Amino acid sequence: MKRLLFAFLLFGMRVVAQVDGSHLVPADKGLDAAWRKSLYDTARRPFTGNDLLTIGMPCGGIASGQLYVRGDGTLAGWWIANNAYNTGYGVKNLTEFPTAVGPWKVCYQSFEPVSYIDQGFTIRVDGGRVRSLDKTGFDAISFTGEYPVATVQYKDKNHPLPVDVQLQVYSPFIPLDARESATPATVMQYTLVNPSAVARSVRLEGRLQNMVGLDLKGKIRGMSRNRVIKVTGLTAVYMDLLSGDIAATHPYNGNVCLSVLGEGGGVAAIGGNGDVGDQSDGKGVAAIGGNDDVGDQGDGKGVAAAGGDASGASRALGTPLVGSVGTTVRLAPHSRRTVVFVLSWYFPNRPHYVDTGWNKPLSISGPVIGNNYANWYSSSLDVARWMKVNLPRLKAETFAFHDAYYQSTIPYWLNRRLLMPLSTLATETCQWWATGKFWAWEGVGSCVGTCTHVWNYEQGMAHLFPELDRNIREQTDLSVSFQDDGSILARDGGYGVLIDGDAGTLLKAWREHLMSKDGLFLARNWPRLKRAMQYLIKVDSNADGLIETVQPNTYDIAFYGANTYVGGLYLGALRAAERMARVMRDTVFGDSCRLIAQRGSENTSRRLFNGEYFIQDVDLGAHPQYQYGRGCLADQVFGQTWADLTGLGDIYPADQTLSALRSIWRYNWAPDVGVQNKLHPAERDYADPGEAGLFVCTWPHGPHPGENGVRYRDEVWTGIEYQVATSMLYAGMTSEALSIVKAVDDRYQPNKHNPWNEVECGDHYARAMASWGVLLAIEGFSYSGPDSALGFAPRLRPENFRGFFSAAEGWGTIGQRRSSGRQSNEVHVSHGRLPLRKLDLEIPQGFDPGSVVVKMEGRTVPCRVKVEGHRLVLYFRDLVVEEGRALDVSVLVRGM
């Protein structure tokens, strides 16, 4: 105790202890002018050449399976049939593992995404040679990945085509509309441009191997079957499996459809080499194993057989059966045409997965819980027909989001990086069951049950699809996981209680309330939320605002003693509970939470702040393993990050938080992780020598505890990096925050690793969806749906800013411009609607507003104006900004 008291007095006088020789993270990061300039680079650069290698951008519906588009526009992965694999967690002594379809790569390596399915497109101009639309057919391909839209340009230096070819690949992705964003389909839209004065004839053809049940080859007897289906405006090859050895409810049983859209121009073949021939007569010829004509299968459900041998082409399961669809178009001089293909799938029998183990296909032995899309469609052809009818609207809304997000003044590399982890929603990490329940792994096939602790970091889904986060709260955390004593089990009703996850559930519930259009979510759940808070107060034991007992947590160990990782989340939960209690008019409980939070803040400041950062007060004699003690934990102010994101104020003295963040930058972020890792090897490597990254924990004042330290201490996790960068932005550490995110982006450049797959304990790790918090912090964005209140205060380029926002009922863009004596702000709604009673803006220090004019559609909007320091607050009466409209605010300094 005397030594601890001396340390506090020493650090209280700001005398910083000498850095230990075992700590090799340099305080001087050595970042040159070129690095600093790159942080603000706005150039929009496509990927080309070797940078196409590892690209695998998810391109299917959210929670509907996993499908990639690769750098050359071909498709890969093919985990759309409840057939995903656990690909490990990045160990370097194993590079691949066996599956039924062939060897599969272990995650976090440099490799082209795997495909054992024959799929692709070809083009033929004016009857010339057929060329593959991929890297074998073109030598100068460029890929622009702006999730949810991938754009591929096909060029060839030595053998150029007389027409320009562009491919856009996407699935409907419409924030606030999870239902339509979960469509099990991928659109492949080719745009053909004729730049010459000569008319051209262009044939496009897509082929696809029947992949239904391929994971069962060698285990069952069966026949892969392809059939041609032709309905108005759609020609398709419909693929399924015939087998008496497989039940209709088997997880791998389903069907796939490859369609070309258009009136009368589609042609198809279902067997052989898939070559439909040059069918340019526009009558939609359908070839079946030769010249047999199935005819029009327009029964509405799309699988009516012609009967007998003419019902389709079939081959033994495991023998490739390739079908194709195509069309020929005439291009007038200086004209363009668009040809649309749709890949759709239907595998309704998703099993309830259990932990399978590392590096193997996921076990399908659990009971069938189904895919939610099976409630909406009856087959893959049903999906295709729905897409045909609704595609103009779906495309418009998807591209409206794309444009609203990417037409931003945020540096392009940064804006793109922050959305990349959100593609995790369209991978096998995320599932939406036929029961309506949203469920997720930590990473694909890794650790079951939408765990409370890893999903503490996720912010993106909560703001783009808030109904899904409300779903987790109401169908998992406060349902099957909720216990009589108010505790919350960590994983979908099992696996014990993790204290960080319990506290995070209160914070997430507060966020979900803010992202709701009214107070009904909170009203439904307040009784259990209150009990959850009471449970944590009981764990506190003496209401001093410090949790000191055993604290199982996200590091797969338990902390003991007071600390700010768990403690900060606890204080944040108390602040959130206070706010929720006041909304529910439970003032006595709200006051109690406020007092405990205040005591906790004071006790933490006094006991745990060492003059530089927050430490752990632990008896290492009693608990010698997996603690961090005097170490500098990157997550030490995670609770403050939550408080900043949800408007809960400072949970610790602001100067101490800032000092802690500066220490994390000084002691945890290394411009070359290899130096520290050579002396202190990581359990798993997610950053290589020569790359920059933020260590989970370091001991700058030594000694490094080795295996006795907090687990994963010497690793680099992108989810933590994003949450720390978020907190730094709120604290004004802009260049440091951007450097942390830039290092993530550099590590996931496609010549090294798939940019859309941030790995931790498995592929597409959910913690990385903390990236959205960085965007919110850049914008200084605040929102409360029940209060119809929105605010923003840009931290990057406030003199000329534009960025994306999402609210409970609408989304669009926010903008700000500043010039001498003038500021203008805009809120534009691209989709939905925005009820607005309060708009909170920031004005420069010393800016004395003389006049404030608010207009919408050229008409003046009455409002009440209040100036609070550097905040300008506008109050409206029942204002609604409808889709396609903008609210404009003009502020002039007094005297102008």
Side-chain angles (χ1 to χ4, degrees), residues 329-370:
V329 297
R330 304 293 184 184
L331 278 176
H334 307 294
S335 68
R336 68 174 56 216
R337 292 280 299 274
T338 297
V339 180
V340 177
F341 296 85
V342 174
L343 171 69
S344 53
W345 56 91
Y346 183 81
F347 292 89
N349 307 316
R350 178 179 290 278
H352 189 174
Y353 293 116
V354 295
D355 277 324
T356 297
W358 303 110
N359 307 302
K360 61 181 65 175
L362 301 186
S363 171
I364 58 173
S365 60
V368 170
I369 43 82

Side-chain angles (χ1 to χ4, degrees), residues 746-764:
D746 285 353
R747 296 199 306 270
Y748 280 92
Q749 285 299 296
N751 62 335
K752 305 180 197 176
H753 302 289
N754 183 358
W756 288 270
N757 181 12
E758 293 183 25
V759 176
E760 191 186 308
C761 189
D763 284 321
H764 300 285

Side-chain angles (χ1 to χ4, degrees), residues 189-245:
Q189 174 182 293
Y190 284 91
T191 300
L192 308 171
V193 178
N194 180 7
S196 73
V198 179
R200 303 290 183 184
S201 174
V202 181
R203 193 189 82 197
L204 278 177
E205 182 182 316
R207 72 182 184 280
L208 177 65
Q209 178 185 345
N210 187 327
M211 49 83 68
V212 180
L214 278 186
D215 286 87
L216 296 172
K217 70 176 183 178
K219 299 178 182 178
I220 67 167
R221 294 169 298 173
M223 302 293 290
S224 298
R225 179 176 64 170
N226 290 358
R227 285 178 284 176
V228 170
I229 309 296
K230 193 166 179 61
V231 296
T232 303
L234 180 152
T235 302
V237 176
Y238 179 90
M239 305 178 178
D240 60 4
L241 173 67
L242 295 176
S243 174
D245 294 350

Side-chain angles (χ1 to χ4, degrees), residues 563-878:
N563 64 87
T564 57
Y565 169 66
V566 172
L569 292 169
Y570 173 48
L571 295 186
L574 285 163
R575 292 285 184 88
E578 176 197 354
R579 296 287 185 91
M580 291 187 283
R582 299 203 184 287
V583 172
M584 297 305 300
R585 300 184 180 179
D586 191 345
T587 55
V588 173
F589 186 68
D591 288 342
S592 175
C593 291
R594 177 178 55 80
L595 290 173
I596 297 172
Q598 183 176 332
R599 284 196 291 269
S601 179
E602 294 168 353
N603 288 330
T604 299
S605 175
R606 179 175 54 84
R607 288 180 53 183
L608 302 183
F609 187 68
N610 72 359
E612 285 187 289
Y613 55 86
F614 295 101
I615 63 171
Q616 178 192 16
D617 186 1
V618 57
D619 182 348
L620 292 176
H623 308 289
Q625 277 196 313
Y626 301 134
Q627 310 304 300
Y628 67 94
R630 294 175 61 203
C632 185
L633 187 73
D635 263 340
Q636 63 184 273
V637 290
F638 187 20
Q640 184 59 57
T641 305
W642 263 104
D644 288 332
L645 287 168
T646 56
L648 296 174
D650 293 327
I651 62 173
Y652 302 126
D655 61 330
Q656 293 183 357
T657 297
L658 177 60
S659 178
L661 289 168
R662 286 173 173 166
S663 297
I664 293 168
W665 171 255
R666 179 184 179 91
Y667 297 132
N668 293 58
W669 193 80
D672 178 0
V673 300
V675 179
Q676 176 86 347
N677 276 154
K678 185 176 182 179
L679 185 61
H680 309 295
E683 182 175 339
R684 305 164 303 183
D685 293 301
Y686 303 128
D688 293 325
E691 295 179 330
L694 185 77
F695 288 113
V696 167
C697 191
T698 65
W699 284 263
H701 307 305
H704 190 290
E707 293 297 316
N708 288 328
V710 55
R711 193 178 178 188
Y712 309 127
R713 57 203 161 267
D714 301 305
E715 295 184 3
V716 174
W717 296 356
T718 65
I720 292 179
E721 290 177 298
Y722 289 130
Q723 84 82 4
V724 169
T726 299
S727 199
M728 286 181 173
L729 283 161
Y730 280 111
M733 297 174 62
T734 302
S735 63
E736 294 89 342
L738 297 189
S739 291
I740 288 174
V741 181
K742 187 67 166 61
V744 175
D745 195 59
D746 285 353
R747 296 199 306 270
Y748 280 92
Q749 285 299 296
N751 62 335
K752 305 180 197 176
H753 302 289
N754 183 358
W756 288 270
N757 181 12
E758 293 183 25
V759 176
E760 191 186 308
C761 189
D763 284 321
H764 300 285
Y765 204 73
R767 199 189 314 265
M769 287 190 282
S771 62
W772 198 259
V774 177
L775 178 69
L776 298 175
I778 287 171
E779 296 178 340
F781 184 76
S782 61
Y783 177 72
S784 170
D787 295 323
S788 298
L790 182 148
F792 59 99
R795 289 175 168 81
L796 283 181
R797 300 192 176 104
E799 72 284 352
N800 182 19
F801 181 84
R802 177 185 170 94
F804 175 83
F805 84 91
S806 60
E809 298 180 77
W811 46 263
T813 58
I814 50 178
Q816 177 173 287
R817 286 181 178 272
R818 286 176 177 169
S819 58
S820 179
R822 181 188 299 270
Q823 176 172 307
S824 61
N825 294 80
E826 179 191 77
V827 179
H828 181 271
V829 177
S830 303
H831 177 90
R833 63 198 296 270
L834 178 67
L836 199 58
R837 292 198 296 267
K838 178 183 176 183
L839 179 62
D840 191 338
L841 305 172
E842 185 177 73
I843 53 179
Q845 290 285 355
F847 190 102
D848 183 11
S851 69
V852 178
V853 178
V854 182
K855 292 189 175 183
M856 186 165 61
E857 296 290 296
R859 298 181 179 179
T860 300
V861 178
C863 67
R864 179 167 61 89
V865 179
K866 186 176 182 180
V867 179
E868 300 174 349
H870 63 289
R871 309 297 300 184
L872 177 69
V873 186
L874 310 179
Y875 296 91
F876 307 98
R877 176 175 294 181
D878 298 325

